[in-house]
Amino acid sequence: MKVKIAPSILSADFARLADEIRKVESAGVDLIHIDVMDAHFVPNMTIGPPVVKCIRKETELPLETHLMVDKPEWFIEEMAKAGADIITIHVESTQHPLSLIRRIRELGLKSGISLNPATQVDSIINMLDVVDLVLVMTVNPGFGAQEFMPETLPKIASLRKSIHSMELNNVEIAVDGGINVKTAPIAVKAGATMLVAGSAIYEAPDVVKAIWELRKSIEGVHWEP
Ligand code: DX5
Ligand code: ZN
């Protein structure tokens, strides 16, 4: 599986979002990662469906909305209407992750399940056959530019192993948090198939070059069963 690159616009200039998205588009990225925070599930607040709706008009790239909110059920329909292609919810944010994931799929979207660094893989194993994406948080969610937590690597490896043995090879494993040219190869070797990166891309002096460098850093790096 070719490793996908998903810039997180959390570190972009929110006053110039369309331009910021165009920059990463020109570098040939695979999708746009949008962090949705509600100041309850995480101690930060970002953007919601109205902004996603505006972003939708600016790009053809798939939009993944990463819901870091206490009541994901409040946002699923709205995010779908706003034009999200993938909705990722946190397993810690609801008592009914499975039914929400099914709801996302019923709406014709791809579904993702995310887990915090402290959450074990066991909590989502029963969902692997109904999700398109597992988003492994490699920092505690809430803010960009934090340091990658290497203790999450065994979880990535164990997930990839499960996905492989269950023959669910279309399920992506995304890593989110502290991804840069140093940590990307380690995450890919452990089994990640998608790299979400915010500050490594948007805080770089040259965004296109930063994406090229990220790609270069994983050249020849593979997960092996
Ligand atoms: C953190 C967000 C991330 C964030 C990553 O809660 O989910 O998507 O933007 O930022 P970096 O790549 O700077 O760690
Ligand atoms: Zn995110």
Side-chain angles (χ1 to χ4, degrees):
M1 201 186 270
K2 181 188 162 260
V3 175
K4 296 193 169 81
I5 308 243
S8 160
I9 55 166
L10 183 62
S11 294
D13 181 347
F14 277 13
R16 297 187 170 73
L17 268 184
D19 290 343
E20 296 279 72
I21 289 168
R22 236 153 265 141
K23 280 188 208 161
V24 295
E25 240 176 8
S26 72
V29 300
D30 300 279
L31 67 156
I32 301 287
H33 179 93
I34 304 175
D35 290 302
V36 179
M37 305 184 187
D38 68 344
H40 287 270
F41 184 72
V42 286
N44 197 2
M45 206 170 169
T46 53
I47 59 183
V51 178
V52 173
K53 193 175 169 190
C54 296
I55 295 173
R56 178 71 292 165
K57 293 181 197 144
E58 298 295 330
T59 181
E60 302 272 303
L61 283 175
L63 301 178
E64 183 212 353
T65 55
H66 174 196
L67 302 189
M68 287 161 276
V69 301
D70 254 359
K71 302 259 185 226
E73 61 273 23
W74 288 357
F75 294 94
I76 288 171
E77 242 93 309
E78 286 307 307
M79 280 302 180
K81 268 194 240 157
D85 299 279
I86 309 169
I87 299 182
T88 299
I89 61 163
H90 265 263
V91 66
E92 306 87 358
S93 69
T94 169
Q95 305 255 347
H96 312 287
L98 211 47
S99 65
L100 294 188
I101 279 163
R102 294 212 170 99
R103 181 76 196 119
I104 294 168
R105 281 209 166 165
E106 275 164 19
L107 290 164
L109 275 62
K110 289 189 173 175
S111 66
I113 189 80
S114 183
L115 61 167
N116 283 337
T119 306
Q120 295 310 309
V121 162
D122 294 356
S123 63
I124 61 139
I125 285 290
N126 66 331
M127 297 171 211
L128 289 180
D129 58 348
V130 281
V131 294
D132 300 282
L133 170 92
V134 181
L135 183 77
V136 179
M137 289 309 300
T138 42
V139 298
N140 284 308
F143 302 93
Q146 301 183 75
E147 208 161 305
F148 179 85
M149 295 168 68
E151 55 269 43
T152 59
L153 288 165
K155 289 202 310 191
I156 302 166
S158 130
L159 260 170
R160 184 71 184 256
K161 225 173 147 185
S162 302
I163 287 171
H164 184 70
S165 65
M166 291 163 84
E167 294 180 14
L168 298 168
N169 294 317
N170 290 326
V171 177
E172 301 269 3
I173 300 177
V175 281
D176 185 8
I179 298 299
N180 55 38
V181 290
K182 285 208 179 83
T183 56
I186 305 170
V188 169
K189 196 160 174 48
T193 62
M194 187 190 289
L195 301 168
V196 176
S199 54
I201 293 176
Y202 279 112
E203 281 172 22
D206 182 339
V207 165
V208 173
K209 188 162 167 246
I211 292 165
W212 181 84
E213 282 170 354
L214 201 55
R215 277 225 183 81
K216 187 102 187 121
S217 78
I218 56 165
E219 247 174 40
V221 182
H222 297 288
W223 172 78
E224 271 163 41

